[in-house]
Amino acid sequence: MGTDKNDRILLAHGGGGQLSDELIRRHILPKLKNDTLAELGDSAKLDVDSKSLCFTTDSYVVKPLFFNGGDIGKLAVCGTINDLAVAGSKPVAMSLSLIIENGFEIKLLDKILESIGKTARRNKVDIVTGDTKTVEAGAADGIFINTTGIGVRLAKVELGVEEISVGDQIIVNGTIGDHGMTIISQRQGIKFQSRLKSDCAALAELTCELLEKTSGIKFMRDPTRGGLAATLNEIAGSSGKSIEIRETDIPVDKTVQAAADMLGFDVLTIANEGKFIAIVSSESARDCLKICRNHPLGKEAAIIGRVIQTKDVPLVELITRIGGRRMVQMPYGRELPRIC
Amino acid sequence: MGTDKNDRILLAHGGGGQLSDELIRRHILPKLKNDTLAELGDSAKLDVDSKSLCFTTDSYVVKPLFFNGGDIGKLAVCGTINDLAVAGSKPVAMSLSLIIENGFEIKLLDKILESIGKTARRNKVDIVTGDTKTVEAGAADGIFINTTGIGVRLAKVELGVEEISVGDQIIVNGTIGDHGMTIISQRQGIKFQSRLKSDCAALAELTCELLEKTSGIKFMRDPTRGGLAATLNEIAGSSGKSIEIRETDIPVDKTVQAAADMLGFDVLTIANEGKFIAIVSSESARDCLKICRNHPLGKEAAIIGRVIQTKDVPLVELITRIGGRRMVQMPYGRELPRIC
């Protein structure tokens, strides 16, 4: 029992007493350190640069916890940064809440916390407040993480589906399906899984550059769960405008495509964690593309389609490689549980 | 299978596709409705009244999900409001993130969401952004909830342990241990459990009134996990000043005391969910007490002790009913898992 306390999470680590305090001071604070968090108040006191904010939350339940290209910690920080980024804001602060199963290895927790700290620092987002709960073995699957973020809205940026017009172009900043196919291949143990790598990355630097240097961006969204298919269908549904994408123009990594074909998935429905879709005016599409391609996270950016007139109901259509047309449906949802 | 979709949560409800959309539109939005949430963006756009904010997060894993005096939903809203309240702010917005197990009854989810909506509305806090994840049966215990809140800091209010001086009085707004003993009694099925009721309540109205009408409040905290013992030890540790409390002055409900005695708990270590500790100047203690007693959540408020000179290390001491002195230790942590 004596060493257990240092090796594994116990229920008492979530009890609000001595052990909770030790866990916070020895394992959490050193990896995330910043002055606001170190105060350990009930709430973080936060001074922001604007009264116009973005606010977003996500819980992460990804399985496995560690994957090629990332881990649940990196994913939790990037995912929340990305939700703030595509809403047209600059992320400034984040909360971190952990639900950990009794018996979880503290070594793994440390690895995850290190990854969280590194990703947050690299993106200049402070983790300013947090919470840790423990549950019995079997009551959670290892660890679940919630991050909730605050961003400061960029001045003069007005993004919204109501801005979208027929003729607008659709840009994606790189290959699609990488994250989802990496996770599912690791879970299913397929042969070439080592050649797959999640695209998990924080997009705020690139989106802020785009919004500051161009004026034609109408709307952005990150195609996570449900992939490009879900995101484009949501945009079509809420804007009332149809969307046409061209299969030949959509960047897909060869190994990702092979894995999707082998396992029977449509890459359009597969989750991404380092991609955004931008709907931009046709005049500014080339400029946007250029800025993307000059950024490490946009080297393979492409214009993949456009907004078209709606006939009856707003639809998403794919022009296939051989020139046919097929409807891209909203995925039902069961494709990939616990992908993020 | 046909009816399952309407009765129970499926993995596909968390997949980001059609079923996710249905869950949000049919079950979540109607219960929490407000204009910001209804936009369903990646982030909520939020205009706040000040650049000086409080920010706090908590995940809730309470077991059982429904208890006398509340449920996990009410608890999740109140707990986050209270963290903002004791930091000296007025809660304005909240995020809501759900992790739900495959097979969870939608009827229960609806009950929880209703309770969340009701508590948020009553306290004028909008739930402006959210997230839903599903995990396999056995990978989570029914439902876990994260709420993260933003509060606007009250003007001219400076709370902090560094404000605390020897001679300051310690006020609690009512009986202690009610929440924790209710949960543990329900779990253990003890006889008089129906006479126990959680104190789960949102304190912001009362704390804001106190902060606006008096000027002697130095510090506040809500004694949740680890109870009064943990909170007072934290205050002593971080302020460097010792604390003396008087057993006869601490309000404890008779049934709570009986349950604690029967099950071998020290009520000082038991969690509260509708209580705060305020450290106030001796001059303003009577005024504060009066304001508390005039409020429904402070009818049994009491001055329970004072800040005293530290001899060697800062300690918390209890003057017992018979006039003895005993040290109140920081609880180790294992007393009560999943109490909140």
Side-chain angles (χ1 to χ4, degrees), chain A residues 14 18 42-46 48 51 53 55-56 58-59 83 97 131-133 136 159 221 225 331 338, chain B residues 14 18 42-46 48 51 53 55-56 58-59 83 97 131-133 136 159 221 225 331 338:
Chain A
Q18 267 181 49
D42 286 293
S43 299
K45 289 171 188 166
L46 203 63
V48 292
K51 293 183 178 182
L53 305 179
F55 184 42
T56 189
D58 260 303
S59 288
D83 282 340
S97 179
D131 175 50
T132 306
K133 292 292 191 312
E136 316 86 272
L159 303 178
R221 180 155 276 184
R225 283 182 291 179
R338 302 192 59 185
Chain B
Q18 270 182 46
D42 286 293
S43 297
K45 288 171 189 167
L46 203 65
V48 291
K51 294 183 178 182
L53 305 178
F55 184 42
T56 190
D58 260 304
S59 288
D83 281 339
S97 180
D131 174 51
T132 307
K133 291 294 189 311
E136 316 87 89
L159 302 178
R221 180 154 275 186
R225 284 180 290 179
R338 302 191 61 184

Side-chain angles (χ1 to χ4, degrees), chain A residues 46-232:
Chain A
L46 203 63
D47 290 314
V48 292
D49 263 349
S50 163
K51 293 183 178 182
S52 188
L53 305 179
C54 282
F55 184 42
T56 189
T57 189
D58 260 303
S59 288
Y60 295 85
V61 298
V62 67
K63 189 177 185 173
L65 297 175
F66 298 87
F67 47 83
N68 275 344
D71 57 71
I72 190 172
K74 182 181 176 188
L75 190 66
V77 177
C78 291
T80 288
I81 287 178
N82 292 349
D83 282 340
L84 294 172
V86 296
S89 75
K90 184 176 150 48
V92 292
M94 199 177 279
S95 66
L96 173 71
S97 179
L98 311 171
I99 299 175
I100 317 175
E101 193 183 29
N102 189 15
F104 191 70
E105 274 188 70
I106 290 191
K107 207 170 58 184
L108 294 183
L109 177 64
D110 278 338
K111 256 181 94 171
I112 292 166
L113 288 168
E114 227 152 83
S115 173
I116 290 172
K118 204 170 111 181
T119 312
R121 274 192 302 279
R122 184 176 296 165
N123 290 284
K124 300 191 182 77
V125 175
D126 278 343
I127 292 168
V128 294
T129 188
D131 175 50
T132 306
K133 292 292 191 312
T134 51
V135 295
E136 316 86 272
D141 196 1
I143 185 169
F144 298 146
I145 298 182
N146 176 281
T147 50
T148 301
I150 296 178
V152 169
R153 291 175 70 188
L154 297 183
K156 291 181 221 152
V157 169
E158 278 304 330
L159 303 178
V161 286
E162 63 285 352
E163 310 283 328
I164 298 174
S165 323
V166 170
D168 285 348
Q169 304 289 301
I170 297 160
I171 292 180
V172 65
N173 64 310
T175 54
I176 63 161
D178 303 64
H179 177 73
M181 286 320 304
T182 303
I183 299 294
I184 205 81
S185 301
Q186 264 182 252
R187 268 193 232 155
Q188 303 206 356
I190 71 166
K191 254 196 213 157
F192 46 87
Q193 54 167 286
S194 62
R195 276 153 51 204
L196 293 168
K197 191 179 168 190
S198 165
D199 58 337
C200 178
L203 296 164
E205 198 188 69
L206 175 52
T207 55
C208 285
E209 190 184 338
L210 278 169
L211 290 167
E212 278 158 6
K213 292 193 181 163
T214 71
S215 57
I217 298 177
K218 312 285 192 83
F219 186 76
M220 292 194 287
R221 180 155 276 184
D222 54 334
T224 55
R225 283 182 291 179
L228 203 59
T231 300
L232 293 179

Side-chain angles (χ1 to χ4, degrees), chain B residues 172-175 206 251 275 289-302:
Chain B
V172 65
N173 64 310
T175 55
L206 175 53
K275 294 295 160 356
L289 195 64
K290 204 171 151 192
I291 292 172
C292 286
R293 289 195 174 159
N294 279 328
H295 190 280
L297 294 176
K299 283 197 192 330
E300 295 176 89

Side-chain angles (χ1 to χ4, degrees), chain A residues 23-44:
Chain A
L23 179 70
I24 292 169
R25 293 186 194 277
R26 288 198 197 156
H27 297 274
I28 299 181
L29 279 189
K31 295 189 186 67
L32 309 181
K33 61 179 161 205
N34 61 70
D35 294 344
T36 315
L37 181 62
E39 287 182 17
L40 294 179
D42 286 293
S43 299

